[in-house]
Amino acid sequence: MATIEECRAALEKLSDNMQRAEGDVRTATSLDRSVSCRITDLDITFTGRMTGGRIVVHDTLQGPPREKAQIRLTMTGDDLVALVAGELNFAKAWGSGRVKLEAGLRDLFQLRKLL
């Protein structure tokens, strides 16, 4: 099982990857939205903001998020680490329910370029 530190490192790596993106993917990273990433097996939620082509984590909370972020991810810690490492295909994980992504329709259309 991935640790909190490994999950935080995966989010930082994802943020770094977003910063280096080009083309349509770069356009998707330009959103300015609140984000939460719920790690179900650790019972924690990372909260922060997607801004300036990065994900900035502001807080790590015990349990589910207290406020509804504009972009919400839910998965296990191992799945987060595997997604960022390129070992887990997002579309397959999302389609099978291993990963949940919730956002407004307009944001989902933008995020599909990123994922």
Side-chain angles (χ1 to χ4, degrees):
M1 179 166 63
T3 65
I4 292 173
E5 293 79 18
E6 289 170 324
C7 292
R8 182 178 284 278
L11 287 172
E12 288 175 16
K13 182 177 179 184
L14 175 61
S15 182
D16 290 344
N17 292 346
M18 289 171 53
Q19 187 69 38
R20 291 189 298 269
E22 297 178 0
D24 284 346
V25 175
R26 180 71 177 171
T27 301
T29 67
S30 68
L31 293 172
D32 185 8
R33 302 285 188 272
S34 60
V35 295
S36 67
C37 182
R38 173 111 170 91
I39 307 299
T40 56
D41 56 333
L42 297 175
D43 194 29
I44 62 163
T45 302
F46 294 99
T47 62
R49 189 140 200 104
M50 178 187 286
T51 185
R54 297 191 62 81
I55 296 172
V56 179
V57 175
H58 295 292
D59 208 357
T60 305
L61 309 170
Q62 193 65 39
R66 295 181 184 108
E67 296 180 15
K68 186 176 175 181
Q70 292 166 303
I71 298 171
R72 300 168 303 283
L73 287 164
T74 304
M75 68 194 81
T76 67
D78 287 342
D79 284 346
L80 173 62
V81 171
L83 276 171
V84 174
E87 299 166 0
L88 179 63
N89 178 280
F90 178 83
K92 288 181 182 178
W94 181 62
S96 70
R98 284 176 66 176
V99 173
K100 293 180 181 150
L101 171 63
E102 299 172 277
L105 189 57
R106 188 173 294 155
D107 289 344
L108 286 172
F109 280 124
Q110 283 285 39
L111 290 170
R112 70 180 166 77
K113 298 173 191 171
L114 178 62
L115 305 168

